[in-house]
Amino acid sequence: MSVLVVAPGRDVSHWVETLKSQHPGMNVYVYPEDHDNEEVEFAITWKHPRGLFKNYPNLKVVASMGAGVDHITSDPEFPEDVKITRVVDKQLTSDLSEFVLALVLNHTRHLSAYKHQEKDSNWNVLKYCRNSDMKVGIMGMGVIGTATAQLLAKNNFKVSGWSRTEKDCEDITSYYGDNSLEDFLQASEILICLLPLTDATSGILNKELFEKLPKGAYVINVGRGEHLEENDLIEMIDSGHLAGAALDVFKEEPLPEDHAFWEHERITITPHTASLTEAESVIPQIVENYERFQDGEELKNLVEQDRGY
């Protein structure tokens, strides 16, 4: 049995070295080097070429190199009988939740606005918002969403979460299901998207949703670029309904140089850097699943493919 690593455009040599050090004797191929497709039963990937995995007749498991799996589940030719696993990593979760806290504070304390004022030598004091006065809503209460909600609550924000099913988290108000979405939005002065990308959530950040937020609400998207209808966001900011947005993910990455977001002073852009996967941190769990697969045991962090996460 062989393992195939597929990550076009990335240098995965460190991944291969770490895999072999964690599991000596593992036979690892890196796509697209020459290899026998029939040998491959386990693959590790980030943004594989569409349709690639249908060419591996004995493939049983595909492991995402990161927390997201939409790059796998969005492949219309992905074999239905192949299992998918995702990364659940404490370091990734901590990094991302701290990043979101920084974006929230950047907004409430007007740091980006002051940066723009510097250009005009403008000494204009803006009234800031105290944490305890701000209502923050998080869309998507999985592992990362829950950790982010808890960190914000520890910093005295009033936090609510919206998810598919009810969550029981101390100091977090839980909204769940489509019937409670409008109530959740009306209680969100800062809206944070941490949803998985599925058919149901694609384009969910749109004009219709923004109109249900309080006037002056702020939007943070650290989910996926496909969650956001970009023109709707600009329209709602320019109309004054939204105060602005912080975006770390985009439909096209890198963001094109001529994109309207670059010139908009009320949109903060970061280059998909909320959390970065480190091989040493995530490979142990991938190797554990590899060994579980070899032993016929249940895999950890298995994706429910009908839900997309």
Side-chain angles (χ1 to χ4, degrees):
M1 180 177 73
S2 297
V3 174
L4 179 68
V5 178
V6 185
R10 289 191 173 197
D11 180 2
V12 295
S13 56
H14 185 56
W15 276 76
V16 173
E17 292 171 5
T18 307
L19 282 167
K20 290 182 176 180
S21 67
Q22 294 274 333
H23 189 100
M26 180 185 289
N27 187 37
V28 182
Y29 292 118
V30 176
Y31 178 85
E33 69 181 25
D34 289 339
H35 59 277
D36 185 346
N37 288 19
E38 293 188 359
E39 288 183 22
V40 175
E41 296 184 41
F42 194 103
I44 304 168
T45 189
W46 189 257
K47 297 186 177 179
H48 67 279
R50 306 292 84 178
L52 175 69
F53 292 125
K54 69 180 181 180
N55 301 316
Y56 292 83
N58 297 314
L59 184 64
K60 301 296 189 300
V61 181
V62 172
S64 174
M65 297 171 77
V69 295
D70 52 276
H71 59 103
I72 301 173
T73 58
S74 62
D75 182 353
E77 298 182 87
F78 188 83
E80 293 182 1
D81 58 340
V82 174
K83 295 179 179 179
I84 301 172
T85 65
R86 63 191 179 98
V87 163
V88 177
D89 180 62
K90 289 183 179 179
Q91 189 62 61
L92 277 176
T93 300
S94 176
D95 288 350
L96 198 147
S97 59
E98 290 171 2
F99 183 82
V100 170
L101 174 61
L103 292 179
V104 170
L105 292 171
N106 178 67
H107 168 61
T108 60
R109 301 307 295 259
H110 306 300
L111 301 186
S112 289
Y114 287 133
K115 188 64 180 176
H116 285 293
Q117 288 185 182
E118 284 182 19
K119 299 175 183 178
D120 300 321
S121 303
N122 183 4
W123 186 276
N124 179 34
V125 178
L126 303 172
K127 184 179 180 180
Y128 58 81
C129 301
R130 292 184 174 89
N131 297 5
S132 58
D133 294 331
M134 293 301 298
K135 299 175 182 178
V136 181
I138 297 177
M139 301 182 76
M141 289 292 288
V143 173
I144 295 175
T146 298
T148 302
Q150 291 171 336
L151 180 61
L152 289 165
K154 287 178 181 177
N155 282 272
N156 299 319
F157 289 96
K158 298 174 182 177
V159 185
S160 60
W162 180 76
S163 51
R164 187 179 62 87
T165 57
E166 187 176 10
K167 305 294 183 181
D168 184 14
C169 300
E170 186 177 356
D171 298 324
I172 312 298
T173 303
S174 176
Y175 294 86
Y176 60 99
D178 293 340
N179 292 336
S180 72
L181 178 58
E182 185 167 351
D183 290 340
F184 162 78
L185 293 170
Q186 290 174 353
S188 301
E189 295 170 310
I190 298 176
L191 180 69
I192 301 165
C193 180
L194 275 164
L195 290 165
L197 181 62
T198 66
D199 290 343
T201 64
S202 180
I204 194 170
L205 299 178
N206 56 35
K207 183 177 180 179
E208 181 181 0
L209 181 143
F210 294 147
E211 287 176 335
K212 296 173 183 175
L213 293 169
K215 182 177 174 60
Y218 191 76
V219 175
I220 296 174
N221 187 19
V222 285
R224 287 289 182 265
E226 290 81 0
H227 284 132
L228 176 65
E229 293 297 337
E230 297 178 347
N231 291 333
D232 287 3
L233 177 68
I234 291 175
E235 178 184 345
M236 295 301 285
I237 293 175
D238 289 347
S239 73
H241 184 73
L242 295 179
L247 308 175
D248 187 57
V249 289
F250 306 90
K251 290 181 178 179
E252 183 179 351
E253 296 182 1
L255 189 66
E257 293 182 4
D258 60 351
H259 198 287
F261 285 165
W262 287 115
E263 299 297 325
H264 205 297
E265 67 177 21
R266 285 188 281 165
I267 295 178
T268 298
I269 294 169
T270 49
H272 203 149
T273 189
S275 61
L276 302 175
T277 303
E278 294 184 356
E280 290 84 359
S281 183
V282 303
I283 281 179
Q285 65 183 271
I286 293 176
V287 168
E288 181 182 356
N289 262 346
Y290 171 78
E291 292 171 346
R292 284 173 169 267
F293 167 65
Q294 285 186 311
D295 296 337
E297 298 177 3
E298 184 177 353
L299 303 178
K300 290 186 174 181
N301 305 322
L302 196 61
V303 172
E304 295 184 36
Q305 295 188 47
D306 58 332
R307 285 166 42 181
Y309 55 95

